Amino acid sequence: MNEPVPDNAGLPEDVPLATVRRGELVESVHRGRLAVFDPRGDKIEALGDSEAYVYLRSSAKPLQALPLVLSGTADAIGLTDEELAVACASHNAEEPHLAAVRSILEKAGLSEDDLQSGAHLPMYGPAADKLVCKGEEPRPIHGNCSGKHAGMLAVCVHENYETLTYRDPAHPLQRRILGLIAETCGVPEDGVLVAGDNCGVPAFALPLRSFATGLARIATGEELPDQLAGAALRIRDAMRAHPSMVAGTERFDTELMEQTHLLVKGGAEAVLAVGNFEGWGMALKISDGSQRAVRPVALAALEHMGVRMGEGDSIVRGLHGEEVGEIEALI
Amino acid sequence: MNEPVPDNAGLPEDVPLATVRRGELVESVHRGRLAVFDPRGDKIEALGDSEAYVYLRSSAKPLQALPLVLSGTADAIGLTDEELAVACASHNAEEPHLAAVRSILEKAGLSEDDLQSGAHLPMYGPAADKLVCKGEEPRPIHGNCSGKHAGMLAVCVHENYETLTYRDPAHPLQRRILGLIAETCGVPEDGVLVAGDNCGVPAFALPLRSFATGLARIATGEELPDQLAGAALRIRDAMRAHPSMVAGTERFDTELMEQTHLLVKGGAEAVLAVGNFEGWGMALKISDGSQRAVRPVALAALEHMGVRMGEGDSIVRGLHGEEVGEIEALI
């Protein structure tokens, strides 16, 4: 856990976690790594190399939102739980998401123009279609990370940090986030690797098992200093209270939080973060980055951990509605 | 090459073929299998298990179009080379594709209503947007396989086969296609595994090396009976003469055929078929089915085979246009 950033880009040992069957044969296979750890950093389960690094991507958002609570910003400007949840979201850009992001910005005395989250079409198909058919270009607020960026900007205003440069890894807010991620996950600051995320803020990489440990801690508040524990639990509770703000319609994170007592946050390149308040965190990475494998593998792993949420395997249907295959978890 | 269909669904041995790097670390990895064989079935290169089966998916389309020529249908109804090419296509549903498909159907005395290719939005984004914004549902003609289905229907009319049931694996046309695939690739008919393709016709699986051998044969006409060789070369030449009919705007198959002398046909779940008239066929399967790995791996493999087509590695850019990583071939 105290190892510094590795100086080579070796490929971590992974294992087949799901197959895509067509007819009698496996057509495609998804490998990956899975780590389930408790708040003290003790292993409960591991498949593949859990020492190797993983980019947390958007599954770091609950951690990236910690300064919003810890700095007193959330209280000072009166953020609601919905707004805290959208600050941790990879949202669909449905109306309630956009309204919550705008509200954070307004409460901070800012506007959409201050967002530097980068523009992409809404993740939710009908929301994207609506924009396209109106002939409108997507704006930064439609980006799935706009809540995170709004939350970051609000902290900057409250802390008198520069708002124009908030994306810079050397900016005091980004340094503070890195420190909190390191502290929560139990790694030294120089053990957190930083690269660029697609929305322009730092992306963080950690050993998979450190991330799982951190998830166990934010889901329980255990093994964290009191103030940090309090902020973690407030974020956990806000996300749990408003699962639809964290992702949205037809999204796995939302569905899984609605049907269980878990804290759930997915990320790009097929990362999934799960925290259970009973005392464990689960970090999953599908090696090839395919989102389609996340759901069946996660549900199988959760069932193994005693959390049952219906059928995990996914039928693959052809264009005539007929079954042509199935995505099946191997665990 | 004479082994029957394996009775288990084991996972074939594959090797890492491409990495997705972010910053200093590999974020994701794509494994796969690659086979380069000559028309006699002799190995030139192989990575991973080339005996294991692969579903050809849409990369079988040039083979599935063989009866269109062999039966005399193409000559009898006066198909153009563009129309032959679209019968081998996974097309974008751009206007020239739709016009060619309609023309095949008309020449056969049929109409769009006879297509059973299943409906999905055009593969080409702007064509899909146009349909969505007009409030129209996609029709079977927009499906990327509609040219293949139109060609199949034309053969049925010419041969007095039933047109309503042409998708059935037991239909005489589908039996004939299976026989021609087996013959071209040098496997016994019961060595070709059949499952359902998403568009509702049979999907075929073969040993990877048999497929590579078949590709070498259709690209050269070698090791095939005269009539079959003639049909293969006619299809090859039609596809080579009209690369944009085989896929379309911004598509790798089209780009690769336009810039080289190769025969190229991709398929779902990250299969790529390449034939070189100088005497080899290359079959590639990315194990996890990710299309993004096909281009860099194919270009690296082709360069190894002496076909250079510019830079294969692909920069990954964030939403602000900045480089955040790169997809790099490992071969």
Side-chain angles (χ1 to χ4, degrees):
Chain A
M1 200 176 287
N2 287 319
E3 281 168 39
V5 173
D7 60 4
N8 64 53
L11 302 179
E13 184 207 338
D14 55 11
V15 299
L17 290 178
T19 53
V20 183
R21 181 184 53 72
R22 180 174 296 268
E24 293 169 39
L25 284 183
V26 168
E27 181 167 27
S28 298
V29 60
H30 297 287
R31 303 171 68 95
R33 301 184 289 137
L34 177 76
V36 184
F37 279 70
D38 72 16
R40 288 184 310 281
D42 289 331
K43 179 170 84 175
I44 298 173
E45 298 285 347
L47 292 169
D49 185 353
S50 53
E51 297 292 341
Y53 275 56
V54 62
Y55 278 110
L56 314 188
R57 305 297 303 275
S58 284
S59 65
K61 282 174 176 165
L63 300 167
Q64 288 168 299
L66 285 168
L68 192 54
V69 175
L70 279 171
S71 66
T73 306
D75 284 338
I77 64 174
L79 291 190
T80 64
D81 277 358
E82 285 94 330
E83 289 158 3
L84 263 185
V86 91
C88 304
S90 298
H91 65 69
N92 268 348
E94 297 173 85
E95 276 309 323
H97 303 124
L98 303 183
V101 175
R102 280 194 199 101
S103 177
I104 296 171
L105 291 166
E106 262 172 44
K107 287 177 178 178
L110 301 169
S111 78
E112 259 193 70
D113 294 340
D114 295 291
L115 283 175
Q116 298 179 31
S117 37
H120 66 78
L121 277 173
M123 290 183 80
Y124 185 53
D129 289 348
K130 203 172 147 188
L131 214 60
V132 168
C133 296
K134 283 197 291 183
E136 286 182 25
E137 291 294 318
R139 301 190 304 281
I141 197 167
H142 299 111
N144 76 84
C145 301
S146 64
K148 175 181 71 177
H149 284 250
M152 287 176 173
L153 281 163
V155 177
C156 291
V157 171
H158 184 263
E159 299 286 79
N160 280 315
Y161 295 158
E162 172 62 69
T163 53
L164 275 177
T165 57
Y166 75 94
R167 295 194 286 111
D168 190 328
H171 185 282
L173 174 62
Q174 299 302 342
R175 294 295 314 165
R176 194 162 166 181
I177 288 170
L178 185 148
L180 287 165
I181 288 178
E183 183 175 4
T184 304
C185 297
V187 295
E189 289 197 11
D190 64 1
V192 180
L193 187 83
V194 177
D197 212 328
N198 287 22
C199 67
V201 298
F204 304 99
L206 294 173
L208 192 71
R209 70 163 183 153
S210 306
F211 188 38
T213 301
L215 293 167
R217 291 176 179 177
I218 61 170
T220 60
E222 293 173 22
E223 304 289 327
L224 295 176
D226 283 353
Q227 224 197 342
L228 181 51
L233 296 183
R234 183 157 166 200
I235 285 167
R236 176 198 76 181
D237 291 343
M239 291 173 69
R240 291 272 325 133
H242 301 284
S244 70
M245 295 305 288
V246 177
T249 305
E250 292 172 14
R251 293 279 301 282
F252 181 54
D253 294 8
T254 297
E255 176 194 10
L256 191 48
M257 282 199 282
E258 281 174 347
Q259 297 190 25
T260 67
H261 53 279
L262 303 168
L263 178 71
V264 182
K265 186 68 197 77
E269 294 291 325
V271 174
L272 188 73
V274 180
N276 183 326
F277 67 77
E278 290 171 357
W280 49 258
M282 175 186 289
L284 168 67
K285 163 70 182 175
I286 303 297
S287 300
D288 57 67
S290 295
Q291 289 294 340
R292 69 176 176 182
V294 170
R295 180 191 156 89
V297 172
L299 294 191
L302 289 173
E303 182 161 2
H304 182 75
M305 294 301 296
V307 181
R308 184 151 174 77
M309 207 200 96
E311 191 54 66
D313 295 342
S314 310
I315 301 295
V316 179
R317 295 196 180 280
L319 295 168
H320 300 275
E322 76 288 12
E323 176 177 342
V324 291
E326 191 167 16
I327 306 183
E328 295 164 311
L330 297 175
I331 54 177
Chain B
M1 199 173 287
N2 288 316
E3 283 167 35
V5 174
D7 60 4
N8 64 50
L11 302 179
E13 185 207 338
D14 55 11
V15 300
L17 290 178
T19 53
V20 184
R21 182 184 52 74
R22 178 175 296 269
E24 295 170 37
L25 285 182
V26 168
E27 181 167 27
S28 298
V29 60
H30 297 287
R31 304 172 67 95
R33 301 185 287 137
L34 177 76
V36 185
F37 279 70
D38 73 15
R40 288 184 310 283
D42 290 329
K43 179 170 83 174
I44 299 173
E45 298 285 346
L47 292 169
D49 185 353
S50 54
E51 297 292 340
Y53 275 56
V54 62
Y55 278 110
L56 315 188
R57 304 298 302 275
S58 284
S59 64
K61 280 172 177 167
L63 300 167
Q64 287 168 300
L66 285 167
L68 191 56
V69 175
L70 279 171
S71 66
T73 306
D75 284 337
I77 64 174
L79 291 189
T80 64
D81 277 357
E82 285 94 329
E83 289 158 1
L84 263 185
V86 90
C88 303
S90 299
H91 64 70
N92 268 348
E94 296 173 84
E95 276 309 323
H97 303 125
L98 303 183
V101 175
R102 281 195 199 99
S103 177
I104 296 172
L105 290 166
E106 260 171 47
K107 288 177 177 178
L110 300 169
S111 78
E112 259 193 70
D113 295 340
D114 295 292
L115 283 175
Q116 298 179 29
S117 37
H120 66 77
L121 278 173
M123 289 182 82
Y124 185 53
D129 288 349
K130 201 171 148 189
L131 213 60
V132 167
C133 296
K134 284 198 290 184
E136 285 183 24
E137 292 294 319
R139 302 191 303 279
I141 198 168
H142 299 110
N144 76 84
C145 302
S146 65
K148 174 181 72 178
H149 283 252
M152 287 176 173
L153 280 163
V155 178
C156 290
V157 171
H158 184 263
E159 297 288 80
N160 279 317
Y161 296 158
E162 173 63 69
T163 54
L164 274 177
T165 57
Y166 75 95
R167 296 193 287 112
D168 189 330
H171 185 281
L173 174 63
Q174 300 301 342
R175 294 294 315 163
R176 194 161 165 181
I177 288 171
L178 185 147
L180 287 165
I181 289 178
E183 182 175 6
T184 304
C185 296
V187 295
E189 289 197 10
D190 63 1
V192 180
L193 187 82
V194 177
D197 212 327
N198 286 23
C199 68
V201 299
F204 304 99
L206 293 173
L208 192 71
R209 72 163 182 152
S210 306
F211 188 37
T213 301
L215 292 167
R217 291 176 179 178
I218 61 171
T220 59
E222 292 174 25
E223 305 289 329
L224 295 176
D226 283 352
Q227 224 196 341
L228 180 51
L233 296 183
R234 181 154 168 202
I235 285 168
R236 176 198 75 178
D237 292 342
M239 291 174 68
R240 290 273 324 135
H242 302 284
S244 69
M245 295 305 288
V246 177
T249 305
E250 292 172 15
R251 293 277 302 282
F252 181 54
D253 294 8
T254 297
E255 176 194 9
L256 191 48
M257 281 198 283
E258 280 174 349
Q259 297 190 25
T260 67
H261 53 278
L262 303 168
L263 178 71
V264 183
K265 185 69 197 77
E269 295 292 323
V271 173
L272 188 73
V274 180
N276 184 326
F277 68 79
E278 290 171 358
W280 50 259
M282 175 187 290
L284 168 67
K285 163 70 182 175
I286 304 297
S287 300
D288 57 67
S290 295
Q291 289 293 341
R292 69 176 176 183
V294 169
R295 180 191 157 88
V297 172
L299 293 192
L302 288 172
E303 182 160 3
H304 182 75
M305 294 301 298
V307 181
R308 183 151 175 78
M309 206 199 97
E311 190 54 64
D313 295 342
S314 310
I315 302 294
V316 179
R317 295 197 180 277
L319 295 168
H320 301 275
E322 77 287 13
E323 175 177 342
V324 292
E326 191 167 16
I327 305 183
E328 296 164 310
L330 297 176
I331 52 176

